[in-house]
Amino acid sequence: MSLARQTARSARLYHAAAKTLRREIDGGRFAETQVLPGERALCQLLKVSRTTLRRAIALLIAEGVLFHRHGAGTFIHRATPRVDQPFSRLTSFTEDMRLRGFAASARDLERGVFLPTPEEAMMLGVGPNERVLRLNRLRLASGAPMAIERTVAPLRCLPDWDTFDGSFYDALTARGFKPVRGLQRLRAASLSDADAALLGVAAGSPALYIQRIAYLADGSCVEYTRSWYRADAYDFVSELTLAPPHRKARR
Ligand code: 16G
């Protein structure tokens, strides 16, 4: 192979490796840590040689995706996105993040089919013997952990619960179960040690705890979700209007 062709081939290889590594970072593969894994693990993951990996890393450092701290290793540059979230629109996490230019992703913490707890049955309006899907996920925006969502939904709305990927709302909509109305309440909470670790913040950090019940057009309930949003990443914003004036009752 001529020298020019060899150089072009190696450039293609490390650009492709850099692209894959960036996609993995955005998809949340290394969400729980800021330190990039060691060379050996990365070579295995990307199926490239050390030389290609080092060049890919150099490229991502030049692009500001990674940074090097002398003596400490290579780190992922992860500015926590700060998001203004309207409080009165029924949107999905994926949609919210897309609108703000972030790539939404999810990491399953638990996914399975269960009988509902009495609280879940009550919230969903299902009988104690109707099976429900339980879906607990860490939600990420361009690789940065933003929220933990614990969802239950009637299994009949998502019978292929074990194979769907990506947006829960998109999956429901594609199966004819589009959520069209929701009820939501929010309060302050502090994160448990385990949830704080998943979100990459100190134990006991504040969170916005949100409960959402969403309904289908026929009035039946399609999800009951409890979410813990990082308090340092979210501002919930709502529009205020004057209450309609009270009318005097006619005699
Ligand atoms: C939002 C909802 C959550 C819903 C999820 C679906 C809040 C507080 N919660 O995060 O109830 O299950 O979106 O997102 O807004 P997905 O379609 O991206 O999976």
Side-chain angles (χ1 to χ4, degrees), residues 117-145:
T117 63
E119 187 209 357
E120 289 167 351
M122 225 164 70
M123 292 301 201
L124 286 177
V126 298
N129 295 319
E130 177 169 350
R131 291 186 305 158
V132 294
L133 159 66
R134 198 168 289 147
L135 182 64
N136 296 342
R137 297 179 296 168
L138 176 68
R139 305 308 305 263
L140 307 116
S142 299

Side-chain angles (χ1 to χ4, degrees), residues 247-251:
R247 293 229 175 84
K248 276 193 187 150
R250 281 210 187 135
R251 299 230 161 159

